[in-house]
Amino acid sequence: MTLPDKIAIGADHAGFELKEQLKAYLEGLNIEIHDYGTHSPESVDYPDFAHPVANAIENNTFRFGILICGTANGIAMAANKHQGIRAAIAWKSEIAKMARSHNDANIICLPARFIDEEEAIQCVHTFFTTDFEGGRHERRVDKISC
Ligand code: RB5
């Protein structure tokens, strides 16, 4: 898979700095980034950023998103409340790869307090260049919705 043309991104205060770093990296690759905030390190609530990014994917404005908070747990929990969202937490590129190849994830959730910029870039790059394998994994992904 080639890198997408555009990506939605969002983070809370814990993920703000890493969001800015990833934005700079991805914009350097000529990818259009829609930044749903937060726009400063001031304390905020992670669902306020997870839901807009998830909505934008749910309504097909974007195919893929990146969400970042301290652990990635809160932001993934909020995003996964949305129909059609498969938000996967990744902290190493092998996990990011399998989130796409096995789970057809459409949002990568990064734990800013537990990875550095280089690891985050590796995760994001792997996530966005890996195809869903389909086959037996498609049957399993179809069973996720209830
Ligand atoms: C914020 O302190 C922190 O709770 C948040 O970034 C995230 O880790 C929640 O899951």
Side-chain angles (χ1 to χ4, degrees):
M1 186 166 91
T2 52
L3 287 161
D5 296 338
K6 56 179 190 170
I7 296 171
I9 197 166
D12 73 354
H13 54 287
F16 168 70
E17 190 183 343
L18 183 57
K19 173 172 68 65
E20 297 304 302
Q21 292 166 340
L22 288 177
K23 256 171 65 182
Y25 168 74
L26 294 165
E27 285 172 347
L29 298 176
N30 289 321
I31 297 172
E32 180 191 328
I33 303 297
H34 189 105
D35 185 353
Y36 286 86
T38 189
H39 299 293
S40 85
E42 189 183 328
S43 183
V44 289
D45 301 332
Y46 55 80
D48 295 339
F49 306 93
H51 292 307
V53 169
N55 280 331
I57 294 168
E58 229 178 354
N59 70 23
N60 293 315
T61 304
F62 293 88
R63 183 169 172 218
F64 291 113
I66 301 171
L67 286 171
I68 313 165
C69 70
T71 61
N73 279 321
I75 214 141
M77 288 177 191
N80 277 318
K81 291 288 179 191
H82 292 250
Q83 200 66 35
I85 295 299
R86 288 176 299 281
I89 299 173
W91 59 97
K92 37 193 341 185
S93 63
E94 291 87 345
I95 295 172
K97 187 176 181 69
M98 293 185 78
R100 285 287 310 128
S101 61
H102 285 196
N103 310 117
D104 199 16
N106 45 17
I107 297 180
I108 183 169
C109 299
L110 299 168
R113 289 181 174 150
F114 298 90
I115 53 171
D116 61 25
E117 181 183 358
E118 191 183 323
E119 290 167 326
I121 286 174
Q122 282 175 7
C123 284
V124 163
H125 199 273
T126 302
F127 186 83
F128 290 120
T129 53
T130 303
D131 281 316
F132 179 46
E133 278 179 24
R136 68 188 187 282
H137 300 297
E138 185 151 19
R139 182 181 70 241
R140 293 165 186 167
V141 167
D142 286 346
K143 288 184 177 182
I144 291 175
S145 300
C146 52

PDB file of all heavy atoms in Angstrom, residues 12-14 46 69-75 113, ligand 1:
ATOM      1  N   ASP A  12      -4.622  14.423  22.832  1.00  0.00           N
ATOM      2  CA  ASP A  12      -4.842  15.256  24.020  1.00  0.00           C
ATOM      3  C   ASP A  12      -3.525  15.959  24.367  1.00  0.00           C
ATOM      4  O   ASP A  12      -2.557  15.914  23.581  1.00  0.00           O
ATOM      5  CB  ASP A  12      -5.431  14.430  25.178  1.00  0.00           C
ATOM      6  CG  ASP A  12      -4.416  13.487  25.819  1.00  0.00           C
ATOM      7  OD1 ASP A  12      -3.273  13.366  25.317  1.00  0.00           O
ATOM      8  OD2 ASP A  12      -4.778  12.858  26.835  1.00  0.00           O
ATOM      9  N   HIS A  13      -3.477  16.586  25.545  1.00  0.00           N
ATOM     10  CA  HIS A  13      -2.274  17.339  25.931  1.00  0.00           C
ATOM     11  C   HIS A  13      -1.040  16.438  26.019  1.00  0.00           C
ATOM     12  O   HIS A  13       0.057  16.851  25.661  1.00  0.00           O
ATOM     13  CB  HIS A  13      -2.503  18.051  27.265  1.00  0.00           C
ATOM     14  CG  HIS A  13      -2.960  17.137  28.352  1.00  0.00           C
ATOM     15  ND1 HIS A  13      -4.250  16.620  28.386  1.00  0.00           N
ATOM     16  CD2 HIS A  13      -2.315  16.599  29.406  1.00  0.00           C
ATOM     17  CE1 HIS A  13      -4.360  15.833  29.440  1.00  0.00           C
ATOM     18  NE2 HIS A  13      -3.209  15.787  30.074  1.00  0.00           N
ATOM     19  N   ALA A  14      -1.242  15.188  26.467  1.00  0.00           N
ATOM     20  CA  ALA A  14      -0.100  14.271  26.599  1.00  0.00           C
ATOM     21  C   ALA A  14       0.472  13.907  25.234  1.00  0.00           C
ATOM     22  O   ALA A  14       1.655  13.585  25.114  1.00  0.00           O
ATOM     23  CB  ALA A  14      -0.515  13.013  27.351  1.00  0.00           C
ATOM     24  N   TYR A  46      -9.329  13.615  26.476  1.00  0.00           N
ATOM     25  CA  TYR A  46      -9.037  12.893  25.226  1.00  0.00           C
ATOM     26  C   TYR A  46     -10.270  12.540  24.370  1.00  0.00           C
ATOM     27  O   TYR A  46     -10.172  12.554  23.147  1.00  0.00           O
ATOM     28  CB  TYR A  46      -8.174  11.640  25.495  1.00  0.00           C
ATOM     29  CG  TYR A  46      -8.740  10.674  26.515  1.00  0.00           C
ATOM     30  CD1 TYR A  46      -9.728   9.766  26.196  1.00  0.00           C
ATOM     31  CD2 TYR A  46      -8.279  10.699  27.826  1.00  0.00           C
ATOM     32  CE1 TYR A  46     -10.250   8.900  27.139  1.00  0.00           C
ATOM     33  CE2 TYR A  46      -8.784   9.828  28.775  1.00  0.00           C
ATOM     34  CZ  TYR A  46      -9.779   8.931  28.430  1.00  0.00           C
ATOM     35  OH  TYR A  46     -10.288   8.084  29.363  1.00  0.00           O
ATOM     36  N   CYS A  69      -2.586   9.802  22.895  1.00  0.00           N
ATOM     37  CA  CYS A  69      -2.701  10.300  24.267  1.00  0.00           C
ATOM     38  C   CYS A  69      -1.558   9.678  25.060  1.00  0.00           C
ATOM     39  O   CYS A  69      -0.639   9.098  24.466  1.00  0.00           O
ATOM     40  CB  CYS A  69      -4.090  10.038  24.860  1.00  0.00           C
ATOM     41  SG  CYS A  69      -4.503   8.326  25.222  1.00  0.00           S
ATOM     42  N   GLY A  70      -1.590   9.790  26.377  1.00  0.00           N
ATOM     43  CA  GLY A  70      -0.459   9.323  27.162  1.00  0.00           C
ATOM     44  C   GLY A  70      -0.197   7.841  27.008  1.00  0.00           C
ATOM     45  O   GLY A  70       0.921   7.409  26.732  1.00  0.00           O
ATOM     46  N   THR A  71      -1.243   7.043  27.187  1.00  0.00           N
ATOM     47  CA  THR A  71      -1.112   5.578  27.098  1.00  0.00           C
ATOM     48  C   THR A  71      -1.680   5.005  25.811  1.00  0.00           C
ATOM     49  O   THR A  71      -1.492   3.820  25.534  1.00  0.00           O
ATOM     50  CB  THR A  71      -1.891   4.914  28.247  1.00  0.00           C
ATOM     51  OG1 THR A  71      -3.272   5.269  28.108  1.00  0.00           O
ATOM     52  CG2 THR A  71      -1.358   5.339  29.601  1.00  0.00           C
ATOM     53  N   ALA A  72      -2.461   5.784  25.089  1.00  0.00           N
ATOM     54  CA  ALA A  72      -3.236   5.378  23.913  1.00  0.00           C
ATOM     55  C   ALA A  72      -4.523   4.645  24.300  1.00  0.00           C
ATOM     56  O   ALA A  72      -5.391   4.432  23.454  1.00  0.00           O
ATOM     57  CB  ALA A  72      -2.437   4.549  22.911  1.00  0.00           C
ATOM     58  N   ASN A  73      -4.669   4.277  25.565  1.00  0.00           N
ATOM     59  CA  ASN A  73      -5.864   3.527  25.955  1.00  0.00           C
ATOM     60  C   ASN A  73      -7.142   4.363  25.856  1.00  0.00           C
ATOM     61  O   ASN A  73      -8.127   3.936  25.239  1.00  0.00           O
ATOM     62  CB  ASN A  73      -5.712   3.007  27.393  1.00  0.00           C
ATOM     63  CG  ASN A  73      -4.877   1.754  27.457  1.00  0.00           C
ATOM     64  OD1 ASN A  73      -4.975   0.892  26.590  1.00  0.00           O
ATOM     65  ND2 ASN A  73      -4.054   1.641  28.486  1.00  0.00           N
ATOM     66  N   GLY A  74      -7.137   5.540  26.472  1.00  0.00           N
ATOM     67  CA  GLY A  74      -8.359   6.347  26.503  1.00  0.00           C
ATOM     68  C   GLY A  74      -8.825   6.736  25.116  1.00  0.00           C
ATOM     69  O   GLY A  74     -10.019   6.623  24.777  1.00  0.00           O
ATOM     70  N   ILE A  75      -7.881   7.146  24.307  1.00  0.00           N
ATOM     71  CA  ILE A  75      -8.238   7.645  22.981  1.00  0.00           C
ATOM     72  C   ILE A  75      -8.727   6.490  22.084  1.00  0.00           C
ATOM     73  O   ILE A  75      -9.636   6.655  21.273  1.00  0.00           O
ATOM     74  CB  ILE A  75      -7.033   8.448  22.408  1.00  0.00           C
ATOM     75  CG1 ILE A  75      -7.541   9.593  21.573  1.00  0.00           C
ATOM     76  CG2 ILE A  75      -6.006   7.583  21.700  1.00  0.00           C
ATOM     77  CD1 ILE A  75      -6.778  10.869  21.713  1.00  0.00           C
ATOM     78  N   ARG A 113       3.550   8.772  26.023  1.00  0.00           N
ATOM     79  CA  ARG A 113       4.420   8.720  27.208  1.00  0.00           C
ATOM     80  C   ARG A 113       5.299   7.469  27.227  1.00  0.00           C
ATOM     81  O   ARG A 113       6.087   7.285  28.151  1.00  0.00           O
ATOM     82  CB  ARG A 113       3.574   8.804  28.486  1.00  0.00           C
ATOM     83  CG  ARG A 113       2.972  10.185  28.685  1.00  0.00           C
ATOM     84  CD  ARG A 113       2.152  10.308  29.942  1.00  0.00           C
ATOM     85  NE  ARG A 113       1.722  11.698  30.123  1.00  0.00           N
ATOM     86  CZ  ARG A 113       0.605  12.067  30.721  1.00  0.00           C
ATOM     87  NH1 ARG A 113      -0.222  11.163  31.208  1.00  0.00           N
ATOM     88  NH2 ARG A 113       0.287  13.344  30.844  1.00  0.00           N
TER      89      ARG A 113
HETATM   90  C1  RB5 B   1      -3.786  12.240  30.571  1.00  0.00           C
HETATM   91  O1  RB5 B   1      -3.149  12.489  31.780  1.00  0.00           O
HETATM   92  C2  RB5 B   1      -3.905  10.751  30.341  1.00  0.00           C
HETATM   93  O2  RB5 B   1      -4.807  10.183  31.239  1.00  0.00           O
HETATM   94  C3  RB5 B   1      -4.319  10.481  28.911  1.00  0.00           C
HETATM   95  O3  RB5 B   1      -3.398  11.048  28.044  1.00  0.00           O
HETATM   96  C4  RB5 B   1      -4.406   9.019  28.496  1.00  0.00           C
HETATM   97  O4  RB5 B   1      -3.248   8.321  28.858  1.00  0.00           O
HETATM   98  C5  RB5 B   1      -5.641   8.322  28.888  1.00  0.00           C
HETATM   99  O5  RB5 B   1      -5.879   7.159  28.541  1.00  0.00           O
END
